């Protein structure tokens, strides 16, 4: 007899069908004549209710073992449920308990636990309603990402995790080394001698796959990456991880307008697809986590994103009747509070800001004719701020060389990147989308550590993910308490 997924039975199961299910006990209710247990196999938020009749062999002993968290196989017959809130239930005929979960020590007893508490038990928290829903949505979203690009003929390219590029200038780098830390070789100048290291030079964990994606776009026209990215950002915020996943499409023969159009279509697609794939989970987030989740999704899917230049954004911020913590003036980067004000309060929908000052953006962005701004675009959304960062790339060799010089980027490391402009260069553009930021935005989860199974952040590399200690700059909106 094959095991059926519970989500399938809840949707399609018919009375009198003989079925087997496997999963973990969520709740148990003992009554005089029956025992009800709700079994969850992770396929949906709601479990299937099984009814155990005292005529079952070893009834008392089995019921005792079926506490919250215990693992079981139950075979039986489906029946229409007289109870409220469920269409069908399972009349158990055989029950096999694999592993008990001692109610005295199993941590997930209460109906709701705080997310902080759950972060301390990252090895168990996926068995809760909220975190379970998050990871089903995460899976559905990943599926939608591939579907969107594959349907459009984009090639999924795998860019390296270990990289020697340190010229991106994005965030902080983790060094990858096999040098003996107790006895580090030094050069004559008393610097660490990386020529004796594994790669013969200093190597890092990648902060972005973009530069490699550009190489691939010059062969395959349209490509995307979807993989882990690392930044040693020493800050405890609700939006930053040390290890996160990024999606980076790169398109040849494409300018900034094409880039913005694709990014907007892409966001619309993934929201729509997640709503279709996970309607119950999205409903749950709307009811229990943030009552604007469904309205936000609707807003993304049905509104056209506002598009303004950075110069215009600064004008609007200077006019705003409110005090910002960080100063606003042309030439300074937008802070999260500015981004949120624009998207959340002023426009009340996603907003694309373009043409930032060259000095605050990376060397590879295409210089505008004004000589001051570059063809950058950031997509800002309510609650999160920046969710996408992208640009049209500088495809002109001489202009790129000048930019590299003014920005002081070591040119000798970029010979291969310059080659792309020497041989068959074309206008091209792309963007990076932080996958966890999107999941946060979709689900309304306030802390990014609750949307990745095993968050890596300062002082958190194990299964206790919430260590927050003094000494780290704390972000203002790092919320401490919320219920799961
Ligand atoms: P921020 O200003 O929020 O730190 P950034 O300017 O460093 O972002 P980019 O270098 O443009 O970000 O990276 C592209 C995308 O990756 C961002 O738009 C964001 O969605 C995501 N991202 C960046 N840093 C992190 C991080 N530490 N954790 C999770 N996602 C991140
Ligand atoms: Mn950053």
């Amino acid at each position: 007899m094959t095991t059926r997924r519970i989500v399938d039975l809840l949707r399609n199961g018919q009375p009198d069908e003989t079925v087997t299910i496997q999963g973990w006990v969520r709740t148990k209710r003992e009554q005089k004549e029956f025992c009800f247990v709700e079994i969850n196999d992770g396929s949906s938020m709601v479990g299937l209710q099984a009814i155990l009749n005292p005529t079952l062999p070893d009834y008392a002993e089995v019921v005792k073992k079926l506490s919250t968290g215990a693992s079981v196989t139950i075979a039986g017959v489906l029946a229409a449920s007289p109870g409220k809130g469920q269409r069908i239930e399972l009349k158990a005929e055989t029950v096999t308990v694999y592993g008990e979960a001692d109610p005295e020590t199993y941590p997930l007893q209460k109906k709701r636990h705080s997310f902080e508490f759950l972060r301390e038990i990252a090895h168990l928290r996926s068995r809760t309603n909220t975190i379970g829903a998050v990871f089903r949505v995460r899976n559905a979203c990943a599926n939608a990402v591939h579907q969107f690009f594959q349907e459009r003929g984009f090639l999924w390219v795998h860019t390296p995790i270990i990289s020697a590029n340190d010229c991106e200038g994005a965030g902080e780098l983790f060094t990858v080394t096999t040098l003996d830390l107790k006895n580090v070789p030094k050069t004559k100048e008393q610097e660490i001698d990386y020529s004796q290291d594994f790669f013969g030079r200093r190597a890092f964990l990648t902060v972005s796959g973009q530069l490699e994606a550009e190489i691939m776009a010059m062969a395959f026209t349209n490509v995307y990456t979807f993989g882990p990215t690392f930044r040693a950002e020493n800050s405890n915020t609700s939006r930053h991880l040390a290890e996160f996943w990024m999606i980076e499409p790169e398109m040849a023969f494409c300018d900034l307008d094409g880039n913005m159009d694709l990014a907007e279509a892409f966001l619309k697609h993934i929201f729509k697809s997640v709503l279709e794939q996970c309607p119950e989970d999205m409903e749950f987030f709307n009811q229990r986590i943030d009552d604007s989740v469904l309205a936000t999704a609707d807003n993304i899917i049905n509104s056209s994103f506002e598009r303004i230049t950075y110069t215009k954004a600064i004008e609007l911020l200077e006019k705003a009747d409110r005090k910002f913590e960080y100063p606003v003036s042309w030439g300074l980067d937008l802070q999260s509070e500015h981004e949120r004000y624009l998207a959340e309060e002023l426009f009340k929908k996603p907003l694309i800001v373009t043409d930032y000052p060259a000095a605050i953006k990376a060397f590879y962005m295409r210089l505008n004719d004004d000589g001051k701004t570059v063809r950058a675009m950031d997509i800002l959304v309510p609650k999160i701020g920046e969710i996408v960062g992208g640009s049209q790339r500088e495809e002109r060799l001489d202009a790129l060389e000048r930019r590299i010089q003014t920005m002081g980027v070591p040119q000798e490391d970029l010979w291969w990147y310059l080659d792309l402009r020497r041989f068959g260069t074309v206008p091209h553009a792309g963007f990076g989308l932080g996958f966890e930021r999107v999941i946060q935005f979709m689900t309304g989860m306030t802390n990014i550590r609750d949307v990745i199974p095993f968050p890596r952040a300062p002082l958190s590399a194990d299964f206790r993910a919430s260590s927050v200690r003094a000494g780290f700059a704390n972000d203002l909106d790092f919320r401490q308490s919320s219920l799961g």
Side-chain angles (χ1 to χ4, degrees), residues 5-6 22-24 26 40-45 126 132 136:
R5 293 178 77 220
I6 286 173
Q22 298 186 304
W24 292 265
R26 275 295 170 83
N40 191 294
D41 64 359
S43 63
S44 73
M45 162 135 343
S126 295
R136 276 187 299 275

Side-chain angles (χ1 to χ4, degrees), residues 171 231 233 240 437:
R231 298 199 185 166
E233 300 186 89
H240 289 92
R437 296 252 179 113

Side-chain angles (χ1 to χ4, degrees), residues 231 233 239-241 244 246 386-389 432 434 437 448:
R231 298 199 185 166
E233 300 186 89
R239 309 178 316 282
H240 289 92
L241 290 163
F244 62 102
M246 190 138 69
E386 179 189 332
I387 195 168
V388 165
R437 296 252 179 113
I448 196 165

Side-chain angles (χ1 to χ4, degrees), residues 241-479:
L241 290 163
E243 177 179 300
F244 62 102
W245 286 62
M246 190 138 69
I247 297 144
E248 295 177 283
E250 190 69 35
M251 294 86 71
F253 308 101
C254 181
D255 62 9
L256 196 70
D257 287 325
N259 201 17
M260 289 191 281
D261 291 344
L262 186 90
E264 184 170 342
F266 173 58
L267 286 174
K268 286 176 162 39
H269 172 84
I270 57 181
F271 270 84
K272 217 169 145 197
S273 174
V274 166
L275 282 178
E276 281 163 14
Q277 293 178 74
C278 302
E280 292 94 358
D281 292 324
M282 291 299 288
E283 187 67 50
F284 172 85
F285 289 119
N286 201 63
Q287 270 176 25
R288 302 289 280 273
I289 302 297
D290 178 345
D291 64 8
S292 66
V293 157
L294 292 178
T296 299
D298 187 64
N299 191 3
I300 294 278
I301 296 167
N302 297 309
S303 71
S304 60
F305 295 10
E306 198 69 38
R307 299 181 186 191
I308 63 172
T309 63
Y310 165 89
T311 304
K312 179 80 189 162
I314 293 293
E315 264 173 52
L316 293 170
L317 288 166
E318 281 173 335
K319 274 198 282 190
D321 59 348
R322 86 132 61 179
K323 264 198 83 56
F324 293 112
E325 208 200 331
Y326 291 90
V328 175
S329 85
W330 202 98
L332 297 182
D333 207 356
L334 300 183
Q335 300 295 322
S336 165
E337 56 171 344
H338 308 139
E339 297 175 339
R340 289 184 57 172
Y341 168 78
L342 291 168
E344 214 162 300
E345 294 178 42
L346 207 59
F347 290 99
K348 297 187 166 55
K349 62 175 177 173
L351 167 74
I352 313 184
V353 180
T354 63
D355 303 292
Y356 284 73
I360 59 169
K361 288 289 183 185
F363 72 91
Y364 49 71
M365 299 191 181
R366 192 180 200 277
L367 194 64
N368 281 317
D369 292 343
D370 63 11
K372 288 193 312 194
T373 58
V374 287
R375 295 247 78 190
M377 64 113 174
D378 281 0
I379 302 186
L380 314 179
V381 294
K383 302 232 162 89
I384 308 284
E386 179 189 332
I387 195 168
V388 165
S391 65
Q392 183 172 339
R393 322 303 189 191
E394 185 57 82
E395 86 283 14
R396 300 162 297 187
L397 181 63
D398 53 339
L400 184 61
E401 281 174 334
R402 273 198 303 277
R403 277 277 284 161
I404 286 175
Q405 253 165 27
T406 23
M407 309 267 309
V409 181
Q411 178 156 356
E412 59 282 7
D413 290 346
L414 284 172
W415 58 274
W416 53 276
Y417 194 68
L418 293 165
D419 262 3
L420 302 178
R421 278 73 184 164
R422 282 190 190 101
F423 311 121
T425 192
V426 293
H428 62 290
F431 61 83
L433 171 82
F435 189 53
E436 286 75 18
R437 296 252 179 113
V438 143
I439 304 298
Q440 270 191 288
F441 184 44
M442 265 178 190
T443 58
M445 296 293 288
T446 51
N447 196 308
I448 196 165
R449 295 172 195 212
D450 300 329
V451 300
I452 185 165
F454 308 109
R456 297 294 175 250
L459 299 175
S460 302
D462 57 15
F463 297 99
R464 297 192 191 284
S466 76
S467 334
V468 176
R469 280 185 220 151
F472 290 106
N474 257 307
D475 196 75
L476 286 173
D477 57 359
F478 186 59
R479 280 199 224 159

Side-chain angles (χ1 to χ4, degrees), residues 77-134:
V77 178
L78 293 180
S81 173
K84 266 214 292 238
Q86 72 230 354
R87 193 176 59 82
I88 49 154
E89 55 192 21
L90 178 62
K91 291 204 156 73
E93 286 172 355
T94 58
V95 179
T96 313
V97 181
Y98 295 89
E100 294 173 56
D102 182 357
E104 295 295 315
T105 50
Y106 183 58
L108 298 175
Q109 295 295 332
K110 280 193 295 179
K111 266 263 170 196
R112 296 190 104 190
H113 298 279
S114 76
F115 292 129
E116 291 71 40
F117 171 78
L118 293 177
R119 257 171 250 143
E120 294 285 337
I121 45 166
H123 61 304
L124 297 173
R125 67 175 183 168
S126 295
R127 305 180 189 186
T128 64
N129 282 344
T130 307
I131 302 295
V134 168

Side-chain angles (χ1 to χ4, degrees), residues 26-90:
R26 275 295 170 83
T27 54
K28 173 173 71 173
R29 271 188 301 130
E30 281 185 75
Q31 294 187 345
K32 261 189 244 102
E33 290 164 58
F34 296 106
C35 175
F36 297 98
V37 283
E38 187 189 327
I39 308 298
N40 191 294
D41 64 359
S43 63
S44 73
M45 162 135 343
V46 183
L48 184 64
Q49 172 163 285
I51 304 166
L52 278 63
N53 188 309
T55 55
L56 284 173
D58 306 321
Y59 177 77
E61 199 185 319
V62 167
V63 164
K64 186 159 177 289
K65 288 180 178 173
L66 288 179
S67 58
T68 300
S71 48
V72 283
T73 293
I74 300 182
V77 178
L78 293 180
S81 173
K84 266 214 292 238
Q86 72 230 354
R87 193 176 59 82
I88 49 154
E89 55 192 21
L90 178 62

